Amino acid sequence: MYLSTVFLPFFGFLAATGLGRYIGGRGAASVTTLLLGIAFVQSVCILYEVGFSQCMCSLQAASWFSSELFQAYWGFLFDPLTAVMLCVVTSVSLMVHIYSQSYMGEDPHLPRFMGYLSFFTFCMLMLVTSDNFVQMFLGWEGVGVASYLLINFWYTRLQANKSAIKAMLMNRVGDVGFALGIFGVFSLFQTVDLATVFATAGHLYGTSFLFFGTECDALSVLCILLFIGAVGKSAQLGLHTWLPDAMEGPTPVSALIHAATMVTAGVFLVARCSPIFEYAPEALAVVACCGGMTAFFAATTGLFQNDMKRVIAYSTCSQLGYMIFACGLSAYSVGVFHLANHAFFKALLFLSAGSVIHALSDEQDMRKMGGLAQALPWTYTMMVLGSLALVGFPFLTGFYSKDVILEVAAAQYTICGRFTHILGSLCVFFTSYYSFRLLFVTFLGPVGGEKPVYKTLHEAPFLMAFPLAFLCIGSIFVGYVGKDAFIGPGSSFWGQALFVLPDHSRLLEAEYIETSTKLLPLGLTFAGAFTAYSLTLGAPFASYARSFHPLLRPIIEFFSYRWMFDGVFNAIGRQSLAFGYHVSFKTFDKGVFELFGPFGLVSLLSSQLNLVRGIHSGFVYHAAFCIVIGLVGMTALALSFSLDGFAEGMWANPGNLRFALVLWTSLLFLPFFG
Amino acid sequence: MISYIFLSFLLFLLGILGIFLNRKNLLLMLMSIELLLLAINLNFLFFSLWIDDLMGHIFTLFVLTVAAAESAIGLALLVVYYRVRGNISIEYMNLLRG
């Protein structure tokens, strides 16, 4: 059961892409969905067995490659962390599969699409179940490839191509860090096996090794390198620009890879490597600060976006920041809990957005929507529930994880803790603002679209509505149901999967912080909702909102242009491309190397040949002249070699003789080469 | 003594110059070659007397024979060449272009 859970999506991929032309779009969709459904049921069983019954399972399937000390196995490790990820990935993926049957039903390439979805799921499962870093890297890269293929699914669209390349390249930057981290792990631990690494990490606390010629704390360097991988995959500040652009893919793709699974791989990595991170406090500080800044950045950017999917994408980015900084504050269980909860409500939001976009004939601009609450009551309900879960409305899923993250940050009496708590609290306000703004503008505000579009409005068909319902139930209940097991004080659910040093644990402390601090996020949520209401629907400020104050305009432009990150990256990219063209290409490849290589040699030869050709006129008397000149020249040369003369036996010296003979004969034959 | 060597050397040089400077006539070139061989023969004879050795005379006889044969063949080639080209001017004798 354990192995088949991982490989069923792979069989689905093979069936859909290999047999797609025989079984057709419907057939491929049914096969992949059925296989994934089985995988989902199995992963729920795994969650029960591994998580709640505390029966760890570890499988070593086969040897992959072995070279002296380096041994890589196909090994699968099922611990509570893996089980939770399995459930998250398979459930969201199953819902997306069902949803896509209807959403992508008209697409001629449906088998390919379903195959890619299954392939993506398979890679994600490989990533979460592997018991060593190398196999994890396989899944890690496979997810990247699958995301490229999925974002670029409509490969005739230029924007999709560019976004896919951007996603791929941004991820590659992170992957370099991850690969370096794996190299470092091997050089430090002499193994890539997770169990060995985690068991010995504590013993190597404080060791240092040479990194780029400087003596560094080994574990910190390793953790930061691994975290760079997470930065790339989880769209943290610096390598985040691919996430919003990847919205060019179909909406189910966004829901699958940018809300629930792929971007959570980075958080999973940090949580998985918690035994190493715990012994690298500097790395934890970096993780926490980076997460906090990402949350803040993405939340502020999301405020002024007008593209519906883009708002949700930035919200994802912001929530990932929450998860990462929770991990950075050693509250891995809370981070993973938020990951699981977030998967449900973000997938719900994305799929609801897809439903709206579908209903409006592929219109994504929120300014051309409005008044959809009456026309699409089901989608509206789903969207409201998803948004409420996202903003952390009490007793919905988000409330149980998001507020705990903030409480943990508040209970951490360090600079990092303060920093992230302040940023996180501000983000609550921003999150609430853009979530409610999206709701108000899209569903309640004045109609902004054109009449023909609104005439064809239709509610989602059953295959699209069912996943929404499922995810909605998840968004309402998962937090409450999972709370005690995942983050309950003294819960033994995680077993050895997540390791926290007793010094670092603040979960109990967080229970007993002041009530005002605990109430703060709720107040900020209401403040954000009220601000959104007054700036979109409310009469007194509405006119003010439409014509922003000239003093505010630069600030708003700064935020809506995504903090100018893309501009800066493009400037850097253009510089490096120019360098690549002018220096690498023109100076070296087409310049120096060709000058000393084929082209220079040929031109030198031909120019010299012209000179030589001038000598060889073909006249008999010229040839005779050459002969005599050669004779005289040779004699003079031979004489000049040893001015001491014949007495020392110049001709007896075989070197001189040979040299003279060679020159002489070559000169003799020169006329024939003309 | 020197004057004998000088004479033969001068003749040799003249022959070489005749080969170089002559642009018009293939016959003149053949004659120059004969002159070269003559100079060499003179040299051989002189040194044969000078060092009192008969080999020089023998060589001279061989060279004479070879020179006669050579000029016979050369003239034959010249005739054949004339038959083909209609002239024996050297300056039109370049089929090879560098």
Side-chain angles (χ1 to χ4, degrees), chain A residues 613 616-619 621 624-625, chain B residues 19-20 23 90-91 94 96 98:
Chain A
R613 277 170 62 189
H616 296 277
S617 57
F619 290 114
Y621 42 89
F625 182 72
Chain B
I19 290 172
F20 292 163
R23 298 281 160 96
I90 302 174
E91 56 190 354
N94 58 337
L96 288 174

Side-chain angles (χ1 to χ4, degrees), chain A residues 315-354:
Chain A
S315 147
T316 303
C317 201
S318 173
Q319 298 303 311
L320 286 167
Y322 273 100
M323 297 173 209
I324 288 283
F325 88 64
C327 289
L329 299 174
S330 293
Y332 304 100
S333 54
V334 187
V336 175
F337 186 40
H338 193 49
L339 186 162
N341 296 343
H342 172 259
F344 285 102
F345 56 71
K346 197 46 67 69
L348 173 63
L349 281 176
F350 262 117
L351 294 186
S352 306

Side-chain angles (χ1 to χ4, degrees), chain A residues 195-236:
Chain A
T196 321
V197 171
F198 295 161
T200 50
H203 298 287
L204 290 166
Y205 176 64
T207 52
S208 53
F209 69 0
L210 278 177
F211 184 70
F212 281 114
T214 43
E215 192 92 4
C216 302
D217 183 40
L219 291 178
S220 294
V221 170
L222 285 192
C223 290
I224 288 173
L225 285 175
L226 292 176
F227 179 60
I228 289 172
V231 166
K233 210 49 112 194
S234 280
Q236 296 298 301

Side-chain angles (χ1 to χ4, degrees), chain A residues 99-162:
Chain A
Y99 186 89
S100 308
Q101 292 190 16
S102 169
Y103 190 85
M104 302 290 286
E106 309 295 315
D107 199 286
H109 297 293
L110 188 62
R112 182 163 66 90
F113 185 73
M114 300 309 284
Y116 286 167
L117 284 184
S118 281
F119 179 65
F120 177 85
T121 314
F122 164 68
C123 291
M124 197 64 201
L125 295 183
M126 280 301 269
L127 166 63
V128 296
T129 56
S130 82
D131 77 340
N132 60 61
F133 278 111
V134 177
Q135 194 183 330
M136 195 190 280
F137 194 64
L138 175 96
W140 190 268
E141 292 299 309
V143 168
V145 170
S147 78
Y148 174 81
L149 294 172
L150 279 172
I151 296 167
N152 207 3
F153 177 68
W154 290 317
Y155 52 81
T156 46
R157 297 180 57 208
L158 185 61
Q159 278 307 321
N161 302 347
K162 291 202 286 190

